[in-house]
Amino acid sequence: MLHSTTAIAQNTITLEGAVKGEGAPIVGAQITITNVATNEVARALTRATGDFRVLGLYSGRYTVNVRAIGFRQRTDTVELVIGQRARLEFELEKGAAELEAQTVVAERVKQVEVQRMSVSAPVMKEEIENLPFNSRGIMNLAGIAPGIKTYAPQSGRTLPSGGAAPDLRFFNVYMDGVEMKSLYNGNIVGLGQTGSPLPQEGLEQFRVYLNPYDAEFTRAGSYVISAESRRGTNQWKGSGFGFLQNKAMLAQNAFQTRVPDYGRTQAGFNIAGPLKKDKLFIATSYELTSTDFYLDVNPISGPWDQYRGSFVAPNKNHTGFTRLTYVQSPRITYDFMGSARFLRGEGNFGARTAAISGISQTYDIYTAQLRQRFLSQSGNFVNEASLQYVSWSHNEAPLTPGPQRTYPGVILGTSGFPLILTEKHFRAVNRSTLNIDNAAGSHVVKFGVELSTIDAMQNQPNNRDGTFTFATDTSTLPISASIAVGFNDRTGTSDAIANATGYTTGLYINDEWRMKPNFTLSLGLRWDAEFNTMNNDYVTPWSKDPVLTAIPSLQNYINTGNRKNQLGNISPRVSFSWDPLKNNKTFVRGGFGIIYDRVTSFMGFQERRNSTWRTYTFANPGTTDPAVLRARVIAGGSTAAAPILMNNNMKTPNAKQMSIGVGHQLTSEFGFNVDYVRQHMDNLYVQRNPNYVDRSVTPNVRKLTPAFGDILIWDDIGTSDYSSVLLQATYQRNKMRFNLAYTLGWYQGDFDTAALPTYTYNFLFDRQRTTGDERHRITLSDIVPLPFGFTFSSVATLASPRPFITTDGRDINLNNVLTDDFPGGSTTASGNRTTLPANSWNNWYRQVDVRLTRSLFTWNKTKVSASAEAFNVFNFNNTLSFGGTQFQANGNPVASFGRPTAAYGARMGQVGMRFEF
């Protein structure tokens, strides 16, 4: 019998078990564990209790041989999975030790998992290889886990979201233990929604954690993905593939007047094998995705039909990965992993944002790691030491340079770009695991230290051509405008460059204490600190401004070089697993923990850049010419600068997580897990504007001072909550696999967690449901071998309607801002930020993706197969967005309010070929 708990480390697995003979423990039995693919060998002896434990194993297939004097030997084969702590139990028969060939009993594949000490779910190798996903990669595959939400727009798949944290920024991805989280924006380097950090062929397996109680994980308020790459083996293996989509394979959605000229080509290869048998192995893979996306633009009101339609957004992703493994001895193994990804594309438009508002995208991402695994002679201690490097170069520029004009019905142009960003992470990481027996039970103690330096640069001369906001779709003059001008360089953009060097460190210890054979308690403690990641020692020029420094409410937001580093991020974590029936079939589990995320550096960059690259705002400017606005600023006109300030004691966002659950294995092929999950997040970063234009008085005045325009403050007052019931049921029989994931969820926040607000009144931070408040989600994935060499696989998702952001459109709270006026609001109440569509079948999200594969021929270990796929095979019309503005500023109703304005992807077909050897 085999069951599992949590991982011994991110990259290695513990195999433990017990050996009995005639019902009694066998002492001193010899355990030999051999990696089938590489012939790596580990050994152990059973203790007085008959138990054994082997540390430091990698995922893969192993033979486990048990020998004891006076008993017949036994050999089993077991598949070890990332994130598990596997357990085998042997019952030996009396008899002489056998010297002849061993007999291997039925393989024990641990893919029906019911014992966990975290809220997590594995994604297996066969799911990575066989399930249909319109966009290849780790981020999309995470959607088959309970508690995780993904959707399928025309461009493929959205970035997964889950938990209490806002989308896009509060998650972490570890690739072979290398943290991919960006310092700048909280996403992963290269932005996970734009492509996978590894080629799909380079992935072995991964695990999705919603509540990770292991102290090894950090900087993830919502979820963690821990993935392992493929290793080379003693046998040369490889594959090449190609997939094709074109216009003939597409249907049109409800907002397209014709089928777009969409096209996509995917091609790649992987090869793995021994450079020196049993000693040196290589695995390398490459993938190209070349796509002509088409994004739908649908103005919600006004005379803007010339901007309506589907517009091309070309995209090319090149991703490569290589892993070298050197087995110096059974005790010492070295790994080198290196990856590169290059993206060239266009996008950032759609819905009410016109195609001329789009941007070009150029990303270059590199990672490298050198890692040593050391296993002690006794097998009771394993150490992983690694040097890591992560680099990201990011360049985005407007497709059509010029001003941004924002109308109620359409947005023309973009003022947020260009953006040039670089990040370089250098890390030293050491992770150790120690096995301790006969100390009031047995213990697996993990401890580690992480040290890193991060160099970052941002060049963002945004708003150099100005932003103009119009009250109605037919207005000729704007009600407000803004423009950015350098403080030192009045005609250039050198003042828009900011640099920073930050340092991070982390320490953790975790004791997984098996107090009794059927009860395990895990106790962990982690400490994280970040130094100068918020330009802590920067003295902003605003600190010398007599007007700002005289305002009491701003004193804690003007940086004089004494911003506090957050040194108190201490994370206690506790979890347990209990087998009440002592039969390794039913497990009760639970846990509580605190996990910190990160105060992303873009806020510190904004503060520093804005102090010299200053934005000036104008009410009723009387012009749409940015040159006129710039001239006014340079001439010292009556306009006022718009400072960006930041809390000098900005606390780190953190999630308090708890869960209680049960897992039960009904048969060796079928098991299920049910968990109740709760998350509460504090110190979420938000933006406030305390110097709004107060229109409740005549004449209108700035609330704090007329000497400045909007004063934007980054603060840490945001909170949010998430609770859910998660169900996962898995059936595995040979190569047939079914996985059902159901989420019953509630999502609330005191701002909408899908976006960063800029509120003028504190009462607008009001606890309400968010646009992520999806009550039900059901995802069924399956892989089914069929007669005549066919394999069928599918992923079906059904999710209830989500609320959409709703604004009144009029300035009902009298602050000269139209984006924070919600229906039912007033000058003292926020109103309702969201509207929930009718709970009708047409408003549910419905997506069924299918794949049919057949081997065409096999010859001398060479296989050629063909596949046909259909995404959204039933061509459901899934609404992407609704018209969210009720009225124009003059009080006229907006006809599109509450009506669908854009749709997710229509049916798409794909054909492919695959060659394997």
Side-chain angles (χ1 to χ4, degrees), residues 98 110 474 527 686 708 716 723 757 761 846 872-873 881:
E98 299 171 347
K110 186 55 199 141
T474 56
W527 173 70
V686 297
F708 288 89
D716 58 8
S723 58
Y761 304 115
R846 302 144 296 167
N872 191 8
V873 64
S881 61

Side-chain angles (χ1 to χ4, degrees), residues 422 454-459 494 496-502 532-535 537-538 604-605 608-609:
T422 61
I454 308 172
D455 294 318
M457 182 279 294
Q458 180 193 20
N459 180 8
S494 60
I497 300 174
N499 296 276
T501 297
N532 200 44
T533 57
M534 292 292 106
N535 284 308
D537 56 0
Y538 176 63
F605 276 131
R608 184 164 189 161
R609 179 177 50 85

Side-chain angles (χ1 to χ4, degrees), residues 80-117:
L80 298 184
V81 177
I82 188 172
Q84 75 173 182
R85 182 169 149 202
R87 183 175 177 85
L88 286 169
E89 295 189 359
F90 294 91
E91 184 73 34
L92 301 188
E93 299 177 359
K94 275 285 189 179
E98 299 171 347
L99 300 179
E100 63 269 17
Q102 303 170 3
T103 300
V104 180
V105 303
E107 181 180 345
R108 308 180 185 193
V109 182
K110 186 55 199 141
Q111 294 168 345
V112 177
E113 185 180 77
V114 296
Q115 186 185 14
R116 307 164 181 169
M117 295 187 70

Side-chain angles (χ1 to χ4, degrees), residues 383-398:
N383 189 80
E384 285 187 358
S386 68
L387 297 175
Q388 304 173 1
Y389 172 72
V390 177
S391 172
W392 177 24
S393 174
H394 173 116
N395 190 331
E396 295 175 326

Side-chain angles (χ1 to χ4, degrees), residues 109 111 126 669 731-737 785:
V109 182
Q111 294 168 345
E126 63 263 42
E669 299 169 336
Y731 175 81
Q732 175 96 33
R733 184 175 186 180
N734 299 324
K735 293 184 178 181
M736 180 187 297
R737 182 177 177 87

